[in-house]
């Protein structure tokens, strides 16, 4: 296997311009260049890993030989030393403290709070109203996380602050990632000041949540934890970092996937019809979803999985702490490594017709044919997303609760618009018409209806 350098390299700045202008297309194009491809962001060589088996090794077998890398350096002003950014023994300790909040039995207890968020959103809609779904999904997810994990109700002002500031922060992180490749990231400018202001505003919302008398749940457990020496295991500043990480990472990924799900349903009547048939059978006229319903909502969960595939992060990074070998390719210590879940999850070699919204990809007999590393939305190995089960449960509950009551139709002349920010392809406008269903779960039905 010969290591190739990606075509289109410019003098001095390397591939920074095509990478910044069209990042999704740039990374997808590298699949045809080899299992490992060298690119230059500025003068510095960087390695893109495309092969599923090499990715599996990078994230599992070789996980102890790499650190989080360039993207996570740029996320540090937002997430501090929270679980997403921390390394080594400190990360293992923090993960052990937080893990019980995501055990299966605990997640089942969250379902009522998650369903209440769906019910509140559904109650605001009127028949044939045009709804900006990207706003509703972020509100759903922010409310679900705070009510479930933190046992706290977030204010409307807090939700609006996060909705307003999170895109600024993620866009700023993406710009810093590009600027760092050109050694421009230390220059003061208006966007840098906006970034700092947005981070500070989100942190203040987090501190307000933690100051709330009702904020027990996971924050209270973490503050009460004691180390082997009997001392407090987590400081309040570290707690802010962990809560910020859970809220920000959970909001962006889960809300993003819900946007893909509702968009896909609106454009695929056959898929939507199968979903409605399952909801009518399982819920039998109810619009409130319970933990007991979840094992029966098999197709609904497959819809969620398909949305997660399409909404995968477009970029993640690692940094080699020791020399690494991928086949005949040697990656030196200190080198930055890039990989794209977006590109992997849309590789037609493993996902035929990759842009098609097809929940049946996640039938067990089809999943068994996929090599490990061919679907990495939640990562794998020791850094696999701690909130994977929570995210899929929340998506399933929200899809079931809203789609049992409403059909969501595309609006002529209002196409879906998306943009790329730090690590994610974000939906910035998704306008759908909410049409009251006339079936068993219409608005006049019992069970949470108006």
């Amino acid at each position: 296997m010969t290591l190739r350098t990606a075509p289109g390299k410019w003098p001095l700045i390397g591939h920074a311009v095509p990478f910044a202008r069209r990042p999704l297309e740039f990374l997808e194009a590298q699949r045809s260049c080899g299992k490992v491809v060298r690119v230059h962001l500025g003068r510095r060589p960087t390695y893109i890993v495309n092969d599923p088996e090499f990715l599996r090794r990078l994230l599992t077998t070789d996980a102890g030989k790499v650190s989080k890398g360039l993207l996570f350096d740029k996320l540090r002003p937002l997430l501090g030393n929270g679980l997403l950014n921390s390394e080594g023994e400190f990360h293992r300790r923090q993960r052990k403290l937080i893990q019980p909040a995501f055990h299966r039995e605990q997640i089942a207890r969250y379902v009522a709070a998650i369903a209440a968020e769906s019910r509140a959103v559904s109650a605001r809609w009127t028949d044939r109203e045009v709804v900006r779904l990207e706003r509703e999904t972020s509100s759903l997810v922010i409310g679900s996380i705070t009510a479930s994990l933190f046992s706290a109700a977030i204010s409307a002002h807090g939700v609006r602050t996060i909705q307003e500031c999170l895109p600024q922060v993620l866009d700023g992180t993406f710009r810093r990632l590009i600027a760092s490749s050109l050694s421009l990231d230390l220059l003061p400018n208006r966007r840098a000041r906006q970034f700092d202001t947005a981070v500070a505003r989100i942190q203040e919302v987090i501190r307000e949540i933690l100051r709330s008398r009702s904020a027990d749940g996971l924050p209270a457990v973490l503050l009460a934890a004691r180390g082997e020496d009997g001392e407090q295991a987590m400081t309040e500043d570290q707690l802010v970092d962990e809560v910020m990480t859970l809220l920000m990472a959970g909001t962006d990924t889960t809300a993003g996937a819900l946007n893909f799900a509702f968009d896909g349903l609106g454009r695929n009547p056959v898929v939507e019809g199968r979903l409605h048939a399952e909801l009518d059978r399982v819920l039998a006229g109810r619009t409130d979803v319970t933990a007991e319903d979840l094992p029966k909502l098999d197709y609904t969960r497959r819809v969620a999985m398909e949305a997660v595939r399409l909404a995968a992060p477009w970029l993640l990074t690692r940094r080699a702490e020791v020399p690494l070998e991928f086949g005949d390719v040697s990656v030196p210590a200190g080198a930055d490594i890039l990989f794209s879940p977006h590109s992997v999850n849309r590789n037609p070699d493993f996902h035929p017709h990759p842009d098609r919204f097809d929940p049946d990809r996640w039938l067990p007999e089809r999943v068994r044919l996929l090599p490990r590393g061919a679907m990495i939305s939640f990562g794998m190995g020791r850094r696999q997303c701690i909130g994977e089960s929570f995210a899929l449960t929340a998506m399933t509950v929200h899809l079931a609760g809203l789609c049992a009551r409403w059909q969501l139709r595309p609006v002529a002349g209002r196409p879906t618009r998306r943009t790329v920010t730090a690590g994610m392809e974000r939906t910035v406008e998704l306008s759908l018409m909410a049409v009251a269903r006339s079936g068993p779960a219409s608005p006049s039905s019992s069970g949470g209806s108006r």
Side-chain angles (χ1 to χ4, degrees):
M1 181 179 69
T2 303
L3 176 64
R4 294 180 57 187
T5 296
K9 179 186 173 190
W10 293 25
L12 299 179
I13 61 174
H15 300 91
V17 171
F19 179 72
R21 283 180 175 172
R22 303 180 69 86
L24 302 182
E25 292 86 345
F26 178 81
L27 289 168
E28 288 186 9
Q30 305 318 311
R31 292 197 302 252
S32 63
C33 295
K35 295 181 176 181
V36 181
V37 182
R38 181 169 50 215
V39 299
H40 289 76
L41 300 181
R43 300 182 181 183
R44 182 180 176 85
T46 303
Y47 299 81
I48 299 177
V49 177
N50 295 311
D51 179 67
E53 174 57 24
F54 288 169
L55 279 172
R56 184 197 65 79
R57 282 179 41 200
L58 177 69
L59 299 176
T60 57
T61 309
D62 292 341
K65 302 175 183 177
V66 296
S67 55
K68 295 304 292 286
L70 187 60
L71 174 63
F72 298 91
D73 292 344
K74 303 307 172 186
L75 284 171
R76 193 165 296 280
L78 174 65
L79 304 180
N81 203 31
L83 199 60
L84 196 65
N85 270 357
S86 56
E87 305 274 7
E89 182 57 38
F90 183 78
H91 172 266
R92 285 188 286 274
R93 188 197 74 169
Q94 294 300 101
R95 189 177 180 99
K96 185 177 180 180
L97 287 172
I98 295 170
Q99 186 71 64
F102 294 98
H103 286 166
R104 179 179 300 178
E105 298 80 6
Q106 192 64 39
I107 289 176
R109 297 188 185 102
Y110 300 149
V111 170
I114 295 170
E117 295 297 322
S118 293
R119 189 165 60 249
V121 167
S122 183
R124 293 199 297 265
W125 296 353
T126 58
D127 189 24
R128 310 196 72 80
E129 174 188 0
V130 175
V131 180
R132 284 287 296 270
L133 254 294
E134 82 281 0
R135 295 174 181 169
E136 300 287 17
T137 55
S138 64
S139 176
L140 272 174
V141 174
I142 293 168
S144 298
I145 292 173
T146 53
S148 301
L149 297 179
F150 310 149
S151 298
I154 185 169
S155 68
H157 170 72
V159 171
R160 287 194 301 272
T161 298
I162 293 172
Q163 288 176 324
E164 177 184 337
C165 294
L166 184 57
Q168 296 177 19
V169 169
L170 295 177
D171 181 63
T173 300
F174 175 60
R175 291 177 181 277
R176 288 179 175 210
L177 179 67
I178 300 301
S180 68
S181 68
L182 303 175
S183 301
L184 300 175
D185 52 328
L186 297 180
L187 296 178
N189 56 67
R190 178 176 58 85
R191 289 187 181 274
R193 291 190 294 273
Q194 290 176 336
F195 175 90
D196 292 339
T197 299
V199 170
R201 290 181 65 195
I202 294 175
Q203 288 176 336
E204 182 54 32
V205 171
I206 300 298
R207 293 185 185 278
E208 286 179 6
I209 292 172
L210 295 178
R211 287 194 295 264
S212 169
R213 291 183 179 180
S214 61
D216 43 36
L218 181 58
V221 170
L222 295 179
L223 282 177
R226 293 291 182 268
E228 295 179 359
D229 57 2
E231 295 296 319
Q232 186 173 346
M234 191 177 300
T235 65
E236 289 194 18
D237 285 343
Q238 182 61 35
L239 178 61
V240 171
D241 288 348
E242 299 297 357
V243 171
M244 179 76 83
T245 296
L246 292 171
L247 185 56
M248 295 299 98
T251 295
D252 204 42
T253 55
T254 309
L258 278 172
N259 291 330
F260 271 88
F262 287 121
D263 193 33
L265 290 169
R267 299 177 191 283
N268 293 273
V270 173
V271 174
E272 183 192 51
R274 291 179 65 185
L275 175 68
H276 284 158
E278 177 176 86
L279 297 177
D280 292 345
R281 183 180 68 256
V282 174
L283 301 181
R286 291 182 288 116
T287 54
D288 275 351
V289 183
T290 68
E292 290 72 26
D293 295 322
L294 292 178
K296 306 169 191 174
L297 294 174
D298 181 64
Y299 192 73
T300 310
R301 191 175 180 87
R302 295 209 303 274
V303 169
M305 283 294 300
E306 179 67 345
V308 165
R309 179 185 71 87
L310 292 169
W314 69 273
L315 178 70
L316 293 173
T317 63
R318 293 293 186 267
R319 181 171 294 126
E321 297 300 319
V322 298
L324 300 175
E325 301 291 331
F326 297 104
D328 296 332
V329 174
S330 297
V331 175
D336 284 307
I337 301 170
L338 312 182
F339 61 100
S340 173
H342 169 96
S343 178
V344 170
N345 291 3
R346 296 181 188 233
N347 188 332
D349 292 342
F350 309 112
H351 306 282
H353 306 289
D355 294 327
R356 180 184 297 170
F357 193 83
D358 179 12
D360 283 345
R361 296 180 199 275
W362 307 109
L363 287 167
E365 59 269 24
R366 292 178 64 175
V367 172
R368 283 194 290 268
L369 300 177
L370 286 177
R372 290 192 68 195
M375 166 69 171
I376 53 172
S377 296
F378 292 104
M380 61 176 60
R382 66 177 68 176
R383 302 304 299 243
Q384 184 162 346
C385 176
I386 197 171
E388 176 179 356
S389 293
F390 179 90
L392 286 171
T393 297
M395 286 186 65
T396 302
V397 171
H398 292 320
L399 285 168
L402 292 175
C403 292
R405 183 170 176 179
W406 302 96
Q407 291 177 299
L408 294 165
R409 293 283 175 260
V411 179
R414 302 277 291 272
T416 301
R417 294 196 305 112
R418 296 191 174 99
T419 190
V420 173
T421 56
M424 293 295 297
E425 183 184 17
R426 290 180 56 83
T427 303
V428 294
E429 184 170 352
L430 174 58
S431 297
L432 298 176
M433 180 181 290
V435 179
R437 291 192 63 209
S438 58
S442 68
S444 61
S445 302
S446 61
S449 62
R450 287 179 289 168

